[in-house]
Amino acid sequence: MSNYQPVKKIAIFASGRGSNASKILDHLGNISGIEVVLVLSNKLDAYVLNIAKENNIQTHVVNRDSFYKSDYTVKLLKNLEIDLIVLAGFLWLIPKDLIKAFPDRILNIHPALLPKYGGKGMYGQHIHKAVFEAKEKESGITIHLVNEKYDEGKIIFQAHCDLSQIKSPEEIGKKVLELEHKYYPLVVEKYLDRV
Ligand code: GAR
């Protein structure tokens, strides 16, 4: 009997600096049977593209028309035999055809405790400012499946942090990002068992 197990292939979508993408690459790089084969961005100058190139990973930059009005992305992902799409700071809404082509195969991380502080326009420092102004006692991260609405897919993981000593939105951002870096790579690895 053969012990052959197919490699599980991941595409990371990111719009910005790519610190989560970098942590995921570091973690998964040490695990056999898992490979990140594509980093896709909607921004030509996103730093995450440099990280991908340093790791010899194929990159692709989408524009609005190709992303929303053509089947280019679905075809690209299917041709690469992608098993899981990991959003790591990707700020565009995922089109319906992509969700349909990858059912329960798209994960997102959100830097707050959903269902609070989610939805269009709620990203990065906007979230931490809102959390700070509301004098929340805690914040955290949410990792969830992606559906056709911003931040409303099934939650699969949350981690909390205490805000009692916090003096600024920036401090919240730092604490939350630490949680993202600690848990997102682990949750992605674990979720791959299900795909
Ligand atoms: C992360 O904090 C992620 O949770 C957030 O963008 C940041 C990307 O940072 N995503 C959202 O706000 C999605 N609504 P990174 O580029 O350093 O990984």
Side-chain angles (χ1 to χ4, degrees):
M1 211 170 70
S2 154
N3 286 327
Y4 175 74
Q5 287 206 317
V7 172
K8 293 202 175 152
K9 294 183 184 165
I10 296 177
I12 296 178
F13 288 14
S15 303
R17 68 190 157 181
S19 72
N20 278 287
S22 178
K23 294 288 174 190
I24 291 167
L25 287 170
D26 287 351
H27 181 71
L28 298 182
N30 298 319
I31 300 171
S32 64
I34 301 175
E35 207 181 326
V36 177
V37 298
L38 177 74
V39 171
L40 179 145
S41 183
N42 58 313
K43 285 204 183 138
L44 199 54
D45 59 353
Y47 189 74
V48 70
L49 296 170
N50 298 351
I51 296 171
K53 283 170 196 153
E54 278 162 18
N55 285 276
N56 296 315
I57 294 168
Q58 180 178 336
T59 59
H60 183 71
V61 178
V62 285
N63 62 40
R64 273 195 184 273
D65 274 359
S66 78
F67 199 59
Y68 290 108
K69 293 184 186 156
S70 83
D71 59 0
Y72 188 89
T73 309
V74 171
K75 279 193 175 145
L76 173 72
L77 297 166
K78 290 289 178 190
N79 283 339
L80 290 170
E81 299 178 326
I82 296 299
D83 296 293
L84 183 68
I85 299 167
V86 175
L87 309 188
F90 186 74
L91 302 181
W92 282 4
L93 192 65
I94 300 299
K96 278 195 187 114
D97 64 332
L98 195 48
I99 292 166
K100 222 171 141 196
F102 291 88
D104 293 343
R105 299 285 183 276
I106 310 177
L107 290 183
N108 182 42
I109 190 160
H110 187 77
L113 294 171
L114 292 173
K116 284 177 114 179
Y117 304 103
K120 192 168 167 38
M122 271 296 176
Y123 62 90
Q125 279 304 120
H126 298 289
I127 297 172
H128 307 313
K129 195 164 172 277
V131 169
F132 184 74
E133 282 169 2
K135 299 189 171 53
E136 295 283 358
K137 290 190 174 58
E138 60 171 15
S139 189
I141 62 170
T142 302
I143 297 169
H144 64 93
L145 294 174
V146 171
N147 67 13
E148 63 285 349
K149 296 200 180 129
Y150 274 113
D151 305 322
E152 289 189 17
K154 185 178 172 214
I155 292 172
I156 60 168
F157 178 87
Q158 289 189 308
H160 300 232
C161 58
D162 172 47
L163 300 183
S164 54
Q165 308 296 321
I166 287 295
K167 299 200 171 43
S168 68
E170 290 73 25
E171 278 181 52
I172 301 176
K174 205 165 160 246
K175 272 198 156 191
V176 169
L177 193 64
E178 274 169 23
L179 289 178
E180 296 193 39
H181 291 169
K182 180 172 175 191
Y183 289 111
Y184 204 16
L186 298 171
V187 173
V188 169
E189 180 194 353
K190 194 145 180 263
Y191 194 78
L192 279 169
D193 287 344
R194 296 205 228 159
V195 309

